Amino acid sequence: MEQTLEITQSLIQVSAIISIIGVSLSVMILLYRVIKGPTNPDRAVALDIFGVNIMGLAGIIAILLVSTQFNDVILLIGILLFIGTIALAKFIEKGVIIERDMD
Amino acid sequence: MLLAVLLPFIIAIFIPFLSKWKHKLHTGFFVTAVPVVIFIYFARFIGPGFEPVEREYSWIPSLDMNFLFYLDGLSLLFILLISGIGSLVAFYSIYYLHKSEQLGHFYVYFLLFMGSMLGIVLSDNVYVLYTFWEFTSLSSFLLIGFWNHREGSRYGALKSMLITVFGGLSLLGGLVFMSGITGTASIQEMMSQQELILNHDFFPLILTLILLGAFTKSAQFPFHIWLPDAMEAPTPVSAYLHSATMVKAGIFLVARFLPMLSVSEWFFIIVSAVGIATLCWGSYMAVRQTDLKGILAFSTISQLGMIMAMLGFGTKAAIFAAVFHILNHATFKGSLFMIAGIVDHETGSRDIRKLGGLMTFLPITATLAVIASFSMAGVPFPFLNGFYSKEMFFDAAVTMDLSVTGIAATLQTLFPYLAVLGSIFTFVYSMYFFFGTFRGKANIDELPKKPHEAPAGMLVSPAILVLGVIIIGLFPDLINKPFIEHAASAAYGSENVKDIYYWHGLSPAFIMSITVLVFGTILYLSIPKWASIYNAVPGRLSLNTFYDGLVERTERYSTIITNSYMNGSLGRYVRLILVAIVVVTFGTMALTGGFTLDFGNVSEVTLHEVLIAVVMVIAAIGTIIAKNRIAAILILGVVGYGLAMLFVLYRAPDLALTQLIVETVTVALFLLVFYHLPNLEPHHESSLTKAMNLIISVGYGLLMTMVAISAHSHKMFDTMSSYFVDNSYKLGGGDNIVNVILVDFRGLDTLFEIAVLGIAAMAIFGLIRLRGKNKEE
């Protein structure tokens, strides 16, 4: 039983680390897209996915550290990403984020 | 005694009120009473049995600054000069200054000056002495610039201020040194410890500083240039400050410290050489002047040089002669200035080329002028005091027998000849002054006014001074025993008694006087023949040019230096600041061996940390090279999110939360602002600037890295975080240690950070709402 538990534990650890490396690689590739562009919408989308990756990363790290403290962080990243991407999209589309005229 | 010194200051407070009635009664009448009272108060001390009087009044006892007054013979001589001539000048000014002038201002400055002059000569405390010393510079500045609508007055006032304050500050340095060495602020106590000062390593510095103070104040070569320009002042001021009192403050200072400093050979060399140089140069230059007051200004310079030279000789006879000449010079020079003022007042011109033949128009003035100027020349008549002191000067120069070697010995043999040379020119300008003004052909049509005799009130003061000339000339013993002797003894340091005779045999001094008379007459009669020498010496070389150049260049170079780094470019300022930080910190750390690299207690580096760091580094570099502004901010967003990730890795959930929100809000804010900005323009920076920027930024980054690593390697104490871990629940009642610290243990910081945010919000609101309001108005 205990042996099973240990194996499970190391299995989780190893898969977590593999996941981190995978996510990191994805982050690297996204970074290339963010820097290279070529247009700003490309960068905006890349940044959005970058955020999603970070959400995943935070989750994996929470598993790795055996902690529930980062659940807030994950949720917050989700909300902020949504807001940020909307703002970016609005900016790219209209040039303003907050419109003065509501008509 | 304190009241006597402060009386002018106290009265000065009431002058503005008194001057309200100046049309009914000239303010000068009130003012004249002040020096008269002081004169009478101090005249009581005259007498053969005079003993020094000491009084102390507290001011700042903890700093050893007290009104310590010491009245010895020397102070008494100066006090009587200040108050006596002060009364006469105040009385003269009643007739000289019209009621339409700003009398209130004039007399306030005048009284300030008189009070500070009394303070200088009475003070025994060096700090009080210096205070009064600067007061005289200040009030003299105000008096010279009295007619401040004139360009010349302002120039003269500024010049005298710069030079005398420069000297005043050196004097302060010297006094502080002396008081530091001896541990007392009292001059008399310093005297008693003179060995300590004389043998101190700083003695040459002290001597230089004190003599600089004395030379600038007393218009000695080469600092004499302010005095001729100070002649822009009203004539009573010239008569009072620039002949009788302020310019003698330097003489007083030298005489005061004479018993202590004259032991040094350098004192003899510097003081007497400067004095003789001033004597010769001043009298030589006086003949060239065309303005009556200009002649008198250079004459004053030369006479002060003579007194200074005698003090420099430091022998018994020379000091006696110096003290005697201080009194004599004050009498005849004061009256000559007043006579020049009368001539100016009655003819409207002070230009000696326009004047001439005024004897028949101003007979009384001419009589006074002949006595005063002949006394200045040292013409051997038994009723002229100038002759006595000049004869003593020659006598002192010839009989001076100091056992000195080197430069001092050469100077000693040279001095009698230079003294005669200076005196010949003194004779020439005295004759030039009198005959040029009062004899010769009268050309009345060229004068602005038709000349006539001055009002009686104006003549009273010069008449009293000329009377003084004659009385001292006829009965020198009348003032010798009760008065001069005490002053000479005080200056010499021990008893200094001498009889004053008119005739003392066919001595070398008498032969020198006759030489002066003969050569002076010849030179005076042939002035037109040799006047062209002034085109060669000094020609265009002049100390005024040097001074003007110095002032002008100081301003110009200061402007150049300031403009060289203050060019308004923020980029440059930041570069300078960073370079300074890098150089200073690197230098200090390298010199003190502050850099230590210790990797002993470093935690293990994990793979994901490295990955995130690499992402951040690439993103940071990407920000720099981004061509598009929005691209730059988006890439910066990666850095921000990466940082949040690092916080997660290092188990700081609160920081990560805050970092994420702040990052998002910042990006949004940037986007808000960017809308209003013009498109990025290609930035034209030279490759040199770019290279420099690169070097500076790499250097700064390197420095910070080194500092961080060294700081980590230098961990000397355990952190106090265990206290928070142990007590956050016990004392703070919370599990979240970060939040307990923020609002409980260290709540004050949070309060002010909230305040910062509030201020920032209000400032943004203000900036947006008030934008362009002023334009509309």
Side-chain angles (χ1 to χ4, degrees), chain B residues 440-457:
Chain B
K441 201 173 70 67
N443 34 2
I444 297 162
D445 303 333
E446 282 185 29
L447 293 173
K449 281 191 202 167
K450 190 173 160 17
H452 55 80
E453 188 54 89

Short mmCIF file of all heavy atoms in Angstrom, two decimals, chain B residues 440-457:
data_model
loop_
_atom_site.label_atom_id
_atom_site.label_comp_id
_atom_site.label_asym_id
_atom_site.label_seq_id
_atom_site.Cartn_x
_atom_site.Cartn_y
_atom_site.Cartn_z
N GLY B 440 45.60 130.39 -10.45
CA GLY B 440 45.56 130.33 -11.90
C GLY B 440 44.42 131.16 -12.47
O GLY B 440 43.80 131.97 -11.76
N LYS B 441 44.15 130.93 -13.74
CA LYS B 441 43.14 131.73 -14.41
C LYS B 441 41.74 131.19 -14.09
O LYS B 441 41.51 130.01 -14.11
CB LYS B 441 43.37 131.66 -15.93
CG LYS B 441 42.74 132.81 -16.70
CD LYS B 441 43.16 132.76 -18.15
CE LYS B 441 42.55 131.58 -18.90
NZ LYS B 441 41.10 131.65 -19.08
N ALA B 442 40.85 132.12 -13.76
CA ALA B 442 39.48 131.71 -13.48
C ALA B 442 38.69 131.68 -14.78
O ALA B 442 38.69 132.65 -15.52
CB ALA B 442 38.83 132.68 -12.50
N ASN B 443 38.08 130.56 -15.08
CA ASN B 443 37.19 130.51 -16.25
C ASN B 443 35.78 130.19 -15.78
O ASN B 443 35.33 129.05 -15.84
CB ASN B 443 37.69 129.52 -17.30
CG ASN B 443 38.35 128.32 -16.66
OD1 ASN B 443 38.40 128.24 -15.43
ND2 ASN B 443 38.82 127.40 -17.47
N ILE B 444 35.15 131.24 -15.27
CA ILE B 444 33.85 131.08 -14.61
C ILE B 444 32.75 130.69 -15.59
O ILE B 444 31.81 129.98 -15.26
CB ILE B 444 33.49 132.40 -13.90
CG1 ILE B 444 34.53 132.65 -12.81
CG2 ILE B 444 32.11 132.35 -13.28
CD1 ILE B 444 34.58 134.04 -12.34
N ASP B 445 32.90 131.10 -16.83
CA ASP B 445 31.83 130.85 -17.80
C ASP B 445 31.64 129.36 -18.06
O ASP B 445 30.54 128.91 -18.37
CB ASP B 445 32.18 131.55 -19.12
CG ASP B 445 32.38 133.03 -18.90
OD1 ASP B 445 31.76 133.54 -17.92
OD2 ASP B 445 33.13 133.67 -19.66
N GLU B 446 32.72 128.60 -17.88
CA GLU B 446 32.60 127.16 -18.17
C GLU B 446 31.93 126.41 -17.03
O GLU B 446 31.50 125.28 -17.21
CB GLU B 446 33.99 126.55 -18.40
CG GLU B 446 34.54 126.85 -19.79
CD GLU B 446 35.84 126.14 -20.04
OE1 GLU B 446 36.05 125.06 -19.43
OE2 GLU B 446 36.66 126.67 -20.80
N LEU B 447 31.90 127.01 -15.85
CA LEU B 447 31.36 126.30 -14.69
C LEU B 447 29.84 126.30 -14.73
O LEU B 447 29.23 127.25 -15.19
CB LEU B 447 31.84 126.96 -13.40
CG LEU B 447 33.34 126.83 -13.17
CD1 LEU B 447 33.74 127.65 -11.96
CD2 LEU B 447 33.73 125.39 -12.95
N PRO B 448 29.23 125.21 -14.24
CA PRO B 448 27.76 125.14 -14.26
C PRO B 448 27.10 126.19 -13.38
O PRO B 448 25.99 126.62 -13.63
CB PRO B 448 27.46 123.74 -13.72
CG PRO B 448 28.73 122.97 -13.89
CD PRO B 448 29.83 123.96 -13.79
N LYS B 449 27.79 126.62 -12.30
CA LYS B 449 27.20 127.60 -11.39
C LYS B 449 28.15 128.78 -11.26
O LYS B 449 29.36 128.63 -11.46
CB LYS B 449 27.04 126.98 -9.99
CG LYS B 449 25.86 126.09 -9.80
CD LYS B 449 25.73 125.82 -8.31
CE LYS B 449 24.95 124.56 -8.04
NZ LYS B 449 25.10 124.17 -6.62
N LYS B 450 27.61 129.89 -10.85
CA LYS B 450 28.50 131.01 -10.57
C LYS B 450 29.03 130.85 -9.14
O LYS B 450 28.26 130.73 -8.21
CB LYS B 450 27.72 132.34 -10.68
CG LYS B 450 28.64 133.54 -10.65
CD LYS B 450 27.88 134.82 -10.92
CE LYS B 450 28.60 136.07 -10.45
NZ LYS B 450 30.01 135.97 -10.17
N PRO B 451 30.37 130.73 -9.00
CA PRO B 451 30.91 130.41 -7.68
C PRO B 451 30.74 131.55 -6.69
O PRO B 451 30.87 132.73 -7.03
CB PRO B 451 32.38 130.15 -7.96
CG PRO B 451 32.67 130.84 -9.23
CD PRO B 451 31.43 130.88 -10.01
N HIS B 452 30.40 131.20 -5.46
CA HIS B 452 30.42 132.18 -4.36
C HIS B 452 30.69 131.41 -3.07
O HIS B 452 30.60 130.18 -3.05
CB HIS B 452 29.10 132.94 -4.28
CG HIS B 452 27.91 132.06 -4.17
ND1 HIS B 452 27.49 131.48 -3.01
CD2 HIS B 452 27.03 131.64 -5.13
CE1 HIS B 452 26.43 130.74 -3.23
NE2 HIS B 452 26.13 130.81 -4.52
N GLU B 453 31.01 132.12 -2.02
CA GLU B 453 31.43 131.49 -0.78
C GLU B 453 30.32 130.60 -0.21
O GLU B 453 29.13 130.89 -0.37
CB GLU B 453 31.83 132.57 0.24
CG GLU B 453 32.47 132.03 1.50
CD GLU B 453 33.68 131.13 1.22
OE1 GLU B 453 34.80 131.66 1.13
OE2 GLU B 453 33.50 129.91 1.07
N ALA B 454 30.75 129.51 0.42
CA ALA B 454 29.80 128.55 0.97
C ALA B 454 29.10 129.14 2.18
O ALA B 454 29.61 130.07 2.81
CB ALA B 454 30.55 127.29 1.38
N PRO B 455 27.91 128.60 2.52
CA PRO B 455 27.25 129.07 3.75
C PRO B 455 28.11 128.76 4.98
O PRO B 455 28.93 127.83 4.96
CB PRO B 455 25.94 128.27 3.78
CG PRO B 455 26.17 127.12 2.85
CD PRO B 455 27.11 127.62 1.82
N ALA B 456 27.92 129.55 6.02
CA ALA B 456 28.78 129.44 7.20
C ALA B 456 28.73 128.05 7.79
O ALA B 456 29.75 127.49 8.19
CB ALA B 456 28.33 130.47 8.23
N GLY B 457 27.52 127.45 7.83
CA GLY B 457 27.38 126.13 8.44
C GLY B 457 28.25 125.08 7.78
O GLY B 457 28.77 124.17 8.43
#
